[in-house]
Amino acid sequence: MKLEAISTKSIKEKLINLREHMSGYTDITYDFAEFLAERLKPKLSPVEFNIAIELAFYDMQNGTESLFENSLHTGLQKYPPMIYPILETDILKIAEAICPRYFFQEFKKVYEEIRK
């Protein structure tokens, strides 16, 4: 398994402009993508990308900024609980649309292992 970190510049740009790469999804999917883009470090491995996604979900659900212990100032916080499992079903589709293929393949392995 490749665990090498890659630049997230292209990934961030694609997240911010996800509508161009994945049409027909709900606004929360696109809002989440923008929210995630703001939180990504300049370089991430597939494992770190998974962690960033999990932290983003956690913060959205709790209305907090886990890394800084601040309240979030975003419209994404505290959606009804039923929204998060629906949004989570889009994660692999989002990752496939925005990541280089080799990175996505490693990301997917980690993502699926976490959910076993």
Side-chain angles (χ1 to χ4, degrees):
M1 178 181 296
K2 291 182 182 179
L3 299 176
E4 299 163 7
I6 65 168
S7 170
T8 59
K9 183 178 180 184
S10 174
I11 292 171
K12 286 180 182 185
E13 289 172 3
K14 288 178 181 178
L15 282 168
I16 291 167
N17 299 302
L18 190 61
R19 281 182 173 86
E20 296 173 13
H21 304 280
M22 287 177 54
S23 61
Y25 287 81
T26 63
D27 285 342
I28 189 172
T29 299
Y30 302 122
D31 291 344
F32 175 74
E34 290 178 21
F35 177 68
L36 181 59
E38 295 170 6
R39 303 167 58 85
L40 296 182
K41 294 179 182 179
K43 285 188 156 197
L44 289 175
S45 70
V47 171
E48 292 167 327
F49 191 44
N50 270 283
I51 292 168
I53 289 168
E54 292 301 320
L55 283 174
F57 271 121
Y58 177 84
D59 287 348
M60 284 174 52
Q61 291 177 48
N62 293 291
T64 59
E65 180 68 54
S66 60
L67 298 177
F68 305 106
E69 298 183 20
N70 296 325
S71 294
L72 288 179
H73 299 289
T74 175
L76 286 174
Q77 64 192 20
K78 301 209 178 192
Y79 271 94
M82 67 184 168
I83 293 296
Y84 300 104
I86 295 168
L87 178 58
E88 192 170 6
T89 65
D90 293 341
I91 294 301
L92 286 176
K93 295 171 194 163
I94 293 169
E96 186 172 23
I98 63 165
C99 296
R101 185 166 176 74
Y102 71 92
F103 187 88
F104 169 72
Q105 294 299 329
E106 296 303 320
F107 168 84
K108 183 178 177 185
K109 288 178 191 174
V110 173
Y111 183 86
E112 290 174 344
E113 184 66 30
I114 290 170
R115 278 147 187 82
K116 279 186 180 180

